[in-house]
């Protein structure tokens, strides 16, 4: 479904070139929930931004749905972001002047989906993520966990091929984080969503099928969850300690 092949990315600052991603290779199948972890500055956000084509990579291929997105035109990229990708950000990015219901509808308004279809889908997701009661409230009137569940619902409005999330639980307490990770696992199990998430939080990552560890722009480890979440959590803590002395936990 997603194939990242030999992707490299550097930034030029003044006369100096900094290599940020170095020959990154991995793939994600449909319906998988995959996390990327690693120390601050290891290139996680840069990788996510290359996959969403917010950033051009220097070399390599990113194949999504059999198309190389590194070779797309601007028009094709706009369509990709609007119709095939869903986004969840650390700071929610809800529009303050719109209600929960209206925020959830934004992707479909941009995609010009019919009103009936949009309302049905929004109601279904409100129910699914248990935020129906707050659908007429504004972001300032709801909790952090509710905001992020609203953001997850919004990311799923267009039935995207892939949901990209950058530290979706970064600003939340442990209970709210749990609710958001539950929202992702439900989306995966019941709606067949495919999710790629950057996180510093081993607890959140322990709910994933696989975790990719990035260090200094290179993948240093691929870990697979063999279905015992607690075991996987212990493994993640052990492995991360080895790679950065606990810095990213
Ligand atoms: N626009 C930019 N220009 C130059 N260097 C950049 C730019 N954006 C990021 N970097 C550098 O690239 C490296 C990787 O940054 P990135 O944001 O991908 O890290 P990260 O793993 O997401 O870190 P964090 O966990 O702190 O969010 C860092 O050293 C950062 O300073
Ligand atoms: Mg980051």
């Amino acid at each position: 479904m997603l194939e990242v092949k030999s992707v490299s990315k550097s930034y030029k600052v003044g006369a100096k070139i900094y290599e940020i991603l170095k020959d990154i290779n991995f793939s994600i199948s449909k319906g998988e929930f995959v996390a990327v972890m690693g120390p601050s500055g290891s290139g996680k956000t840069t990788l996510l931004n290359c996959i969403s084509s917010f950033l051009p990579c220097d070399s390599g291929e990113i194949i999504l749905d059999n198309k190389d997105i590194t070779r797309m035109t601007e028009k094709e990229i706009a369509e990709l972001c609007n119709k095939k990708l869903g986004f969840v950000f650390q700071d929610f990015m809800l529009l303050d002047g719109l209600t929960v219901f209206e925020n959830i509808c934004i992707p479909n308004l941009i995609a010009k989906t019919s009103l009936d279809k949009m309302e049905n889908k929004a109601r279904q997701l409100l129910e699914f993520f248990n935020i129906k009661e707050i659908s007429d409230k504004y972001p300032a009137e709801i909790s952090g966990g509710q905001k992020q569940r609203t953001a997850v619902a919004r990311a799923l409005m267009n039935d995207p091929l892939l949901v990209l999330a950058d530290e979706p639980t970064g600003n939340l307490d442990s209970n709210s984080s749990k609710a958001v990770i539950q929202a992702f696992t439900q989306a995966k199990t019941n709606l067949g969503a495919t999710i790629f998430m950057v996180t510093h939080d081993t607890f959140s990552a322990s709910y994933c099928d696989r975790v990719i560890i990035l260090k200094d722009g290179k993948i240093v480890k691929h870990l697979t969850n063999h279905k015992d979440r607690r075991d996987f959590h212990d493994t993640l803590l052990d492995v991360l300690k080895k790679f950065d002395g606990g810095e990213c936990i």
Side-chain angles (χ1 to χ4, degrees):
M1 213 275 302
L2 172 75
E3 263 184 282
V4 176
K5 292 185 186 172
S6 306
V7 164
S8 297
K9 166 80 188 164
S10 55
Y11 287 114
K12 196 163 178 254
V13 182
K16 258 190 119 175
I17 291 174
Y18 296 89
E19 282 184 52
I20 306 298
L21 297 177
K22 302 160 190 163
D23 193 27
I24 301 288
N25 291 283
F26 68 95
S27 58
I28 299 182
S29 308
K30 185 170 166 25
E32 266 195 309
F33 183 12
V34 177
V36 56
M37 301 192 80
S40 180
S42 56
K44 303 179 298 294
T45 297
T46 304
L47 176 61
L48 200 85
N49 286 341
C50 286
I51 295 174
S52 66
S53 57
F54 282 164
L55 278 179
C57 45
D58 299 344
S59 56
E61 293 174 12
I62 300 175
I63 316 281
L64 182 66
D65 197 23
N66 299 319
K67 287 184 200 84
D68 184 358
I69 64 171
T70 66
R71 285 167 213 279
M72 283 185 174
T73 61
E74 268 186 36
K75 196 170 164 238
E76 284 171 325
I77 288 175
E79 189 159 311
L80 170 88
C81 291
N82 195 356
K83 297 204 173 134
K84 298 198 174 163
L85 297 175
F87 296 94
V88 180
F89 306 91
Q90 180 170 2
D91 44 8
F92 323 123
M93 301 279 237
L94 299 175
L95 296 182
D96 291 336
L98 300 182
T99 64
V100 164
F101 185 88
E102 289 161 350
N103 264 289
I104 289 178
C105 289
I106 292 171
N108 289 41
L109 290 172
I110 297 170
K112 299 197 173 85
T113 316
S114 78
L115 282 181
D116 270 4
K117 204 173 156 200
M118 176 177 83
E119 277 199 30
N120 282 339
K121 183 80 189 174
R123 291 201 191 288
Q124 190 192 329
L125 288 170
L126 283 165
E127 186 113 22
F128 190 72
F129 291 120
N130 201 17
I131 44 177
K132 203 169 77 178
E133 273 70 44
I134 56 159
S135 68
D136 292 329
K137 288 195 173 182
Y138 290 89
E141 300 166 339
I142 63 176
S143 72
Q146 289 170 332
K147 280 184 196 161
Q148 200 56 304
R149 274 182 286 149
T150 302
V152 176
R154 179 182 59 187
L156 293 166
M157 270 299 271
N158 281 339
D159 295 317
L161 284 174
L162 179 65
V163 175
L164 296 168
D166 196 354
E167 303 203 27
T169 60
N171 278 335
L172 299 174
D173 61 43
S174 61
N175 273 337
S176 301
S177 295
K178 211 169 175 178
V180 170
I181 292 304
Q182 251 166 20
F184 279 130
T185 49
Q186 281 170 340
K188 169 197 143 72
T189 311
N190 301 331
L191 308 174
T194 310
I195 304 149
F196 185 58
M197 168 178 81
V198 171
T199 185
H200 277 103
D201 176 21
T202 45
F203 178 77
S204 300
S206 69
Y207 283 86
C208 293
D209 300 309
R210 281 190 296 131
V211 174
I212 291 167
I213 315 261
L214 209 60
K215 187 162 193 232
D216 299 330
K218 282 191 184 149
I219 293 183
V220 288
K221 199 104 184 156
H222 291 263
L223 296 161
T224 303
N225 184 347
H226 296 291
K227 301 300 165 205
D228 185 317
R229 193 199 63 76
R230 279 168 205 269
D231 266 7
F232 194 46
H233 192 199
D234 290 344
T235 306
L236 288 171
L237 288 168
D238 278 354
V239 170
L240 287 168
K241 235 181 264 164
K242 271 181 210 138
F243 280 114
D244 67 6
E247 185 198 320
C248 70
I249 301 166

